[in-house]
Every structure is written in C-alpha cells, then in structure tokens.
C-alpha cells in the first residue's frame, strides 16, 4: 500500500480601493500580510505600491501547505501617507489538499483628507467699504508637487465668493498656505 501526501495551496490577491481624484504620485508603501497555520506555519507576503499601483507580484501563491485552517492578518499597513485601512479579506480560510488553491482577496481602502480654508477681513470702523474691492489669492502647496490657488473675491468690503472653500482628496500630510500677493485691492 502506497500513500501519497497531497499538500494544499493558498492564493492571495491584493486590491486597492482609491477614490477618484486622489493624486496617486505620493501613494507609496508596502503592505504585509501574515499567513499563520498548522504546525506553527508563519509566512509574510509583501505587496509593494508605487504611485498607487501594486508593482510587486500579485497575486501570490503559497504552495506545499498542510491542509487546515490558516489565519490572514495585516500587521504592516503603510503608515505614510496615513489613510490606509483594511476593508475586507483578513481572517481565517481553509486550505484543502489538492491542486485547487484556496483563494482570498485582501482589499485596502484609502481615505484621503481635506482642508477647509476660511477667509476673514478685519476692517476698522469708519473705513469706506465702497473702495474695498478685489481678490485675495491663497496658494496651497503640499506633497507630490501639489499646488492650488484658492480665490476670495471682495466687493464693497464683503467677501462675495464661496467662503469657506474645501479642498478634497488630499494626501494626509503637511500643507503650506501662502498669500503671494493681494492683487487688485487698495493698498493697506
């Protein structure tokens, strides 16, 4: 009597959920999935992301596994930029013997940040408002070469354009706001 052992296999696919409009240039990092199973089995699988795209082998197949229950965890989510979270695919999966691999897709979702800018004017009492017309421009600069101007229009000393203004789909990092000039307004 000859018995032949037939191991199992597990295929892991990484998927990223990134909202439309998020600049991909700064979405770099490595996701690490740990696979633990029978007999003390433990293997890390890495997925490298460059500019919001998985550039490493995807999917990854682990072969010659002892049939049984395996647990997938994600101890390594890129911390920079912040905003990544696991959406689905972690937990337990059963690997059976044979040529058909168990399969799991691990999905991570990116949640971008936003920045709200409010413009206020400090006009001393008694100043004639009829002369205070113009546009204030604020430049917002951030990671990955991000640069955007936000304009606030003033008519008769009152801001008449949208105020506040919210910029969405931003990479969570530090942004610098400057007012590179106050064109079209009276001196002062």
């Amino acid at each position: 009597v000859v018995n032949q052992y037939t191991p199992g296999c597990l295929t892991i696919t990484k998927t990223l959920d990134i909202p439309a409009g998020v600049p991909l240039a700064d979405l770099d990092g490595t996701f690490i999935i740990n696979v633990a199973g029978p007999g003390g089995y433990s293997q890390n699988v890495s997925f490298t992301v460059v500019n919001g795209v998985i550039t490493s082998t995807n999917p990854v197949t682990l072969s010659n596994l002892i049939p049984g229950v395996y647990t997938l965890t994600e101890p390594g989510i890129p911390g920079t930029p912040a905003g990544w979270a696991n959406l689905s695919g972690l937990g337990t999966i059963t690997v059976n013997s044979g040529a058909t691999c168990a399969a799991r897709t691990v999905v991570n979702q990116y949640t971008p940040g936003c920045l709200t800018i409010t413009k206020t004017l400090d006009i001393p009492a008694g100043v004639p408002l009829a002369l205070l017309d113009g546009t204030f421009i604020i430049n917002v600069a951030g990671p990955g070469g991000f640069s955007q101007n936000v304009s606030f229009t003033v008519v008769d000393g009152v801001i008449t354009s949208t105020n506040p203004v919210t910029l969405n789909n931003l990479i969570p990092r530090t942004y610098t706001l400057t007012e590179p000039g106050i064109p079209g307004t009276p001196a002062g």
Side-chain angles (χ1 to χ4, degrees), residues 56-89:
S56 57
T57 301
N58 188 26
V60 171
T61 299
L62 302 175
S63 300
N64 297 317
L65 299 178
I66 297 172
V69 176
Y70 287 76
T71 302
L72 279 67
T73 58
E74 197 165 35
I77 294 179
T80 305
W84 288 108
N86 180 268
L87 195 59
S88 64

Side-chain angles (χ1 to χ4, degrees), residues 80-185:
T80 305
W84 288 108
N86 180 268
L87 195 59
S88 64
L90 299 179
T92 59
I93 186 167
T94 300
V95 173
N96 296 310
S97 63
T100 302
C101 293
R104 181 61 60 93
T105 298
V106 178
V107 180
N108 289 89
Q109 183 177 46
Y110 185 74
T111 302
C114 62
L115 173 65
T116 299
I117 303 168
T118 303
K119 180 67 176 173
T120 60
L121 302 174
D122 184 8
I123 303 170
V127 172
L129 299 180
L131 299 177
L132 299 180
D133 295 341
T135 301
F136 291 88
I137 298 173
I138 296 174
N139 178 263
V140 181
F146 178 86
S147 180
Q148 183 170 336
N149 287 333
V150 177
S151 299
F152 295 94
T153 302
V154 177
V155 176
D156 294 335
V158 176
I159 298 171
T160 59
S161 57
T162 301
N163 188 24
V165 172
T166 300
L167 303 179
N168 294 301
N169 293 323
L170 300 178
I171 301 293
R173 292 264 175 92
T174 301
Y175 287 76
T176 303
L177 280 64
T178 57
E179 203 165 29
I182 308 175
T185 60

